[in-house]
Amino acid sequence: SDLTTVQPFDVHGDSTTVGARWQKWVRSFELFCIGRGVTNVDQKKALMLHCGGTDLQDVYFTFEPKEPGDGENVYSVTQKQLSDYFMPQENVPYERHLFRNMTQNSDETVDQYITRLRQS
């Protein structure tokens, strides 16, 4: 695998984990941009769509064009539109139930368990 780039985002993967996968992908992309020194927002938007792959581009180009508002730029608008699309509405009582029912696995260290709890 090429470690100098970001892997395309799997738009068609498991729909129950798409929100978490999207957040991880955006985090990875942001780190990639920092590492490459990309600061121009137009270039960052284009790079995001390129690195995300053609399936991500297909999703993005179905959105109605939106102009940046106050304090926004083309990259932040693009990222918000995609995040709104991929991030499901949270059912707080259900998420709380899942969190409270989490238990440490037998092959998991305390540190690994705490990390998994924090990621929930």
Side-chain angles (χ1 to χ4, degrees):
S1 71
D2 184 5
L3 298 178
T4 61
T5 187
V6 178
Q7 297 299 315
F9 180 68
D10 182 12
V11 172
H12 303 293
D14 183 7
S15 63
T16 61
T17 62
V18 71
R21 289 186 298 108
W22 172 249
Q23 287 179 320
K24 286 181 181 181
W25 188 89
V26 169
R27 181 180 63 202
S28 176
F29 176 74
E30 292 284 341
L31 291 171
F32 172 75
C33 287
I34 292 168
R36 290 291 185 169
V38 178
T39 57
N40 179 289
V41 292
D42 292 320
Q43 185 180 12
K44 202 170 177 181
K45 173 189 172 184
L47 195 57
M48 174 185 242
L49 293 174
H50 172 75
C51 289
T54 56
D55 290 338
L56 182 71
Q57 292 169 25
D58 289 343
V59 169
Y60 174 74
F61 288 114
T62 64
F63 300 151
E64 295 205 18
K66 185 178 175 192
E67 293 296 318
D70 291 336
E72 293 182 320
N73 58 54
V74 292
Y75 171 72
S76 65
V77 169
T78 300
Q79 192 215 10
K80 181 173 180 350
Q81 285 180 306
L82 289 166
S83 292
D84 288 347
Y85 180 84
F86 289 118
M87 298 296 294
Q89 294 288 337
E90 286 189 11
N91 182 337
V92 175
Y94 179 70
E95 295 296 326
R96 190 176 295 134
H97 167 76
L98 291 178
F99 180 79
R100 288 180 178 162
N101 285 320
M102 290 180 76
T103 57
Q104 184 177 359
N105 296 326
S106 60
D107 62 339
E108 192 173 43
T109 67
V110 172
D111 288 336
Q112 290 170 332
Y113 177 58
I114 291 170
T115 300
R116 191 164 52 92
L117 285 173
R118 288 182 176 161
Q119 290 175 340
S120 299

